[in-house]
Every structure is written in C-alpha cells, then in structure tokens.
Amino acid sequence: MKEKLQKIREQAIAEIENSEGIDKLIEVRSAVLGKKGELTAILKKMKEVAPEDRPKVGQWVNETREAIEAILDEKKKAFEAEALRLRYEKEKIDVTMPAERQEKGNLHPVTQVRNQLTDIFASMGFEIYEGTEIETDYYNFTALNTAKDHPARDMQDTFYLSPEFLLRTQTSAGQIHVMEEKKPPIKIISPGKVFRSDDDATHSPMFTQMEGLVVDHGITLCDLKGMLEEFARRIFGKNVTTRLRPSYFPFTEPSVEVDVSCFQCGGKGCRLCKGTGWIEVLGAGVVNHRVLEGCGIDAEEYSGFAFGMGIERIAMLKYGINNIKLLFESDLRVLKQIDD
Ligand code: DAH
C-alpha cells in the first residue's frame, strides 16, 4: 500500500512539475485528489484494510494528499507570479520617452477680446444684455432718433429682410429694449454680431460690437470720460490716455469720437497711429433726450451716456492685424499666434 501511495505521489509530482499552465494543475488535482481521484479511491477501499492497519494507512494517505497539495499550491503561485511578470512586461511604460504632442486650442481672438471687455465692464458693475440679430427698423433706427428720411441712415448700408425687419447694423438697438424694459438706474453692456453691406480691408459684412449704456440721476460726459480712461488703461495698457473729439450720432447729444493715445509709440507717431499719436477706438455721447423720452424715461430727472465699439477693430489694434479678413478666414497659423 505504501508503495502504491508512493507511486501516486511521484507520478502526481512529476505531472505537476511538467505542467505548462494552471489548467493542467486543475486537471491533476481532480485526477488525484478529486471525488473520483486516485487517493479518494484508496480511502473508499479502507474497509478492505485490516482494522489495526487503518490508522497507519489513513496517515499515509493524508501525508500523500498534503504533499501533493503543497506542491500544487507552490506551482500555482509560480504560474501566477509569471503571469503577473508578463503583464508588467507588456504594460511597461518608459517614462523617459518623449510625450505624444497634445494640440492645445485657444479661443478666437474676437472671443478673447470680447471676454476681456466683458470682464472689464463686469468689474465696473455693468450687466450684460444680449439682444437679437434680427431687429425691426424701429429699434435699429427710428427709436434711436434716426427717422426714415434721416441722412444718418446713409451712413450704414443695411441688410433689410423686409420693409420692417432687418439684420441689426448696430448693437445700439439693444439700448432701446433695455430702456423700455427697465427703469433707471441702468448700467449695461451689450455685445453681439452686427451686419452691414460693407467689405474691405477693415470692414466686414458681419462683425461684432460692444454697446454700453448708463442711465441714472446726474450722469454727464465727465462720467463717460472717467470710465473710458479706466477702460482704455485696462485693455491697452496703463500708460494710455484718452481724448474726446466732437462727432455726430443721432442718438447722442453731444456726440464724441474717442481716441486713445497710441499704445505702440506712446504718442510720438508711428505707423499704427498714422503719425498722429492717437487711435480712434469708439463712438460715444450723452444719450439724446428724445431717445430717453421715447422709451418713457423722464429726461428732466435722468440722463445717461452711451458708447459703442467694434470688437474686431480692438482686436486688430491690440494684436497688430492689418486685414479684418484674417479674423474670419480661420487660418490656424494666424489664430494660434494670438493667445492672450
Ligand atoms: N452705433 C454706433 C456705430 O455703430 C456706435 C455708437 C456711437 C454707439 C455712439 C453709441 C454711441 O452708443 O453713443 O457706429
């Protein structure tokens, strides 16, 4: 009996040693130790063994089982360790390899400037009003003191959708909506797209404007000037100053054109400022009484100032872009250079 057990043991160990994978170990385990295994078969035959020999035979069987189990476990651990090693090998990362280039995107220059402007005005307490791109003739012109036969309508070539509807030519249309909907104090900016039948190196049929409107007790041109001074320093640099030149807009009285001192040459005269030392950046003025009254605001009690600027123009000045088309062609070689 002892020899038989010894044989089972040796054969099992040989098979375990020669096995090539965990599957084989499972096979050996069931063939020797399983319900129908060789050792189990011996135990079943215990009744044939003389009773006095049974404890001894039982002990041999147990020793054999333990020995085989120990080797099975050992081999199984070796297989698992090898599998892990192979996995690590396969997943090994060489941290010294050059990284794969990650393309980084950036916002469009017009969006960048629009965000900068919005941040500056928001920090001064302006709220944002987003108007609509399709407007009525009334909001775009009539309510802005620009009657049907007003010569100022010639200043802008309008895309009319019908005699009544048009693509807004100016964000100023938003002023009227705000003043109709809200009582003073009013302090809003209104950024958005505007449309004009106009197309050359500095004009595009679609461009972006930022309108501003402040209406409250005792607002004067001085308030406008003070605010613009701060605005110009924050967008163009802290050494910049502003000057107002008389101008004309139907919806403001007086009306001004706002220049900033040239931020490239500091006012000495250069190509950017065409030798004048000044750069025109926006139109503005004190809101015309007729506009306030038309919106139901008592012009005896309240006054206001308004301003409007072209965002593409600011972007072109800031980033030295000489043709507005570069802002609409989406050429990545251009757009990638501007990441403010
Ligand atoms: N809407 C004018 C334009 O498109 C710009 C402008 C000028 C807006 C004076 C204003 C303003 O609010 O007061 O040329």
Side-chain angles (χ1 to χ4, degrees):
M1 176 62 87
K2 198 170 182 183
E3 276 156 30
K4 195 172 174 193
L5 285 168
Q6 186 66 24
K7 233 178 102 198
I8 291 175
R9 182 172 172 164
E10 277 164 16
Q11 197 186 329
I13 288 172
E15 276 184 48
I16 292 167
E17 293 299 351
N18 292 330
S19 65
E20 277 166 6
I22 286 191
D23 287 354
K24 180 71 186 169
L25 296 184
I26 294 169
E27 214 176 274
V28 174
R29 179 185 290 274
S30 95
V32 183
L33 310 175
K35 263 192 206 152
K36 291 181 182 154
E38 291 171 85
L39 272 188
T40 322
I42 288 177
L43 282 175
K44 278 182 190 154
K45 284 188 191 149
M46 272 302 235
K47 44 185 173 315
E48 292 167 19
V49 176
E52 63 274 19
D53 292 337
R54 280 181 199 166
K56 204 188 289 161
V57 174
Q59 197 189 340
W60 290 341
V61 171
N62 277 341
E63 279 170 11
T64 308
R65 165 185 289 276
E66 277 162 22
I68 294 172
E69 264 174 356
I71 288 184
L72 271 171
D73 278 353
E74 199 178 293
K75 192 74 179 169
K76 186 170 167 235
K77 280 196 188 119
F79 279 138
E80 282 169 353
E82 177 63 6
L84 199 63
R85 193 189 65 75
L86 286 174
R87 210 183 106 196
Y88 284 162
E89 186 68 34
K90 218 168 89 193
E91 293 176 3
K92 197 157 83 178
I93 297 168
D94 182 354
V95 289
T96 64
M97 289 273 282
E100 230 171 79
R101 253 181 87 86
Q102 296 274 341
E103 286 290 335
K104 180 177 155 284
N106 56 283
L107 295 175
H108 191 279
V110 172
T111 310
Q112 291 181 44
V113 172
R114 180 183 157 147
N115 290 350
Q116 291 162 14
L117 294 173
T118 309
D119 284 353
I120 293 171
F121 287 112
S123 77
M124 295 180 187
F126 282 78
E127 288 174 57
I128 297 174
Y129 170 83
E130 299 223 30
T132 54
E133 289 167 12
I134 294 177
E135 267 298 354
T136 62
D137 184 271
Y138 175 78
Y139 283 97
N140 195 78
F141 289 123
T142 313
L144 286 159
N145 197 33
T146 317
K148 279 249 183 306
D149 56 352
H150 197 291
R153 289 202 183 196
D154 293 339
M155 282 158 50
Q156 299 165 350
D157 291 321
T158 308
F159 290 116
Y160 278 93
L161 303 174
S162 70
E164 190 191 356
F165 290 100
L166 46 80
L167 296 180
R168 67 177 172 193
T169 62
Q170 48 187 357
T171 44
S172 306
Q175 288 186 24
I176 306 302
H177 289 288
V178 173
M179 286 192 282
E180 280 181 355
E181 283 159 25
K182 205 168 139 36
K183 294 289 140 242
I186 292 171
K187 198 172 179 187
I188 59 106
I189 50 166
S190 183
K193 290 189 178 114
V194 298
F195 307 84
R196 292 181 198 177
S197 179
D198 213 353
D199 198 4
D200 61 30
T202 52
H203 295 89
S204 153
M206 187 280 289
F207 63 106
T208 326
Q209 279 190 335
M210 170 91 75
E211 191 79 12
L213 174 71
V214 175
V215 182
D216 204 349
H217 292 286
I219 297 289
T220 70
L221 203 63
C222 285
D223 297 307
L224 171 68
K225 169 93 171 138
M227 185 222 70
L228 288 173
E229 200 69 36
E230 168 70 7
F231 154 74
R233 275 199 291 266
R234 288 183 50 188
I235 195 87
F236 294 117
K238 58 181 186 322
N239 296 323
V240 164
T241 55
T242 60
R243 76 173 181 188
L244 307 182
R245 274 183 296 112
S247 185
Y248 173 75
F249 299 102
F251 36 91
T252 43
E253 180 57 39
S255 301
V256 293
E257 211 81 63
V258 181
D259 295 344
V260 297
S261 58
C262 182
F263 41 86
Q264 195 149 90
C265 64
K268 286 197 280 294
C270 67
R271 255 179 58 172
L272 184 67
C273 60
K274 299 191 187 85
T276 65
W278 294 95
I279 298 172
E280 183 190 317
V281 288
L282 59 97
V286 173
V287 182
N288 193 310
H289 284 193
R290 296 184 59 164
V291 175
L292 292 177
E293 300 283 353
C295 297
I297 294 177
D298 184 353
E300 294 293 319
E301 192 181 345
Y302 293 105
S303 57
F305 68 70
F307 57 92
M309 66 189 95
I311 297 184
E312 283 79 3
R313 180 167 166 75
I314 308 268
M316 288 167 77
L317 290 169
K318 258 194 100 158
Y319 305 123
I321 299 168
N322 57 11
N323 192 322
I324 197 167
K325 301 272 180 313
L326 292 174
L327 290 175
F328 294 107
E329 280 170 354
S330 300
D331 184 338
L332 290 180
R333 288 169 305 181
V334 174
L335 300 183
K336 274 182 174 170
Q337 292 178 45
I338 301 163
D339 195 5
D340 217 355

